[in-house]
Amino acid sequence: MPMHPPPRAAPDRELVKGTLPLLVLQLVSEADTYGYELIRALEERSAAAFTFSEGTLYPVLHSLERDGLVTSRWDASGGGRRRKYYRISPAGRADLADRLDQWHAFTRAVEAIVDGEPRGRA
């Protein structure tokens, strides 16, 4: 009887790593948000398939901010605790649209291969 590896509980980290900026931009495009709130939303909306630490998320946020795709502001609402809120910029909206187009083309191509569907030439 052949041995099969056990099913993975979560997607491979390398698969997720390249999509994290896309996921963050999508969430920030929906509402201004802060880091911990992003971590919670990623986990909740993915049914716990994606769990990230602050050490993983904040470098992505800082990179997006450095590239002008998000902006940030400090807010002391909610009992005086200061939180850094992130907002998508106009350049970030354009970048998100491009990333979504690329993502959809990529996933369609992968699905065509793994589902055995022939694809016509583009």
Side-chain angles (χ1 to χ4, degrees):
M1 179 182 282
M3 298 285 291
H4 296 285
R8 292 181 182 233
D12 183 295
R13 288 305 241 184
E14 289 302 312
L15 291 174
V16 176
K17 183 179 176 183
T19 60
L20 187 53
L22 166 67
L23 301 176
V24 169
L25 283 171
Q26 177 60 43
L27 292 174
V28 174
S29 77
E30 296 170 8
D32 293 3
T33 188
Y34 56 95
Y36 179 71
E37 191 172 48
L38 280 169
I39 290 170
R40 266 195 0 249
L42 288 162
E43 185 171 347
E44 288 174 9
R45 287 176 63 170
S46 71
F50 301 147
T51 57
F52 297 101
S53 67
E54 291 177 1
T56 301
L57 179 67
Y58 283 106
V60 171
L61 284 167
H62 295 153
S63 176
L64 294 172
E65 188 171 21
R66 183 181 59 246
D67 293 343
L69 304 179
V70 298
T71 59
S72 65
R73 65 178 167 76
W74 287 97
D75 192 328
S77 63
R81 182 175 180 175
R82 286 175 37 102
R83 292 184 174 139
K84 191 173 189 180
Y85 281 82
Y86 295 89
R87 166 180 283 174
I88 194 164
S89 68
R93 288 198 184 279
D95 186 79
L96 174 59
D98 288 343
R99 288 177 193 254
L100 287 170
D101 287 344
Q102 291 173 33
W103 175 254
H104 292 301
F106 175 77
T107 57
R108 279 191 304 271
V110 170
E111 286 173 354
I113 292 168
V114 299
D115 293 342
E117 298 172 9
R119 291 188 74 216
R121 289 193 178 259

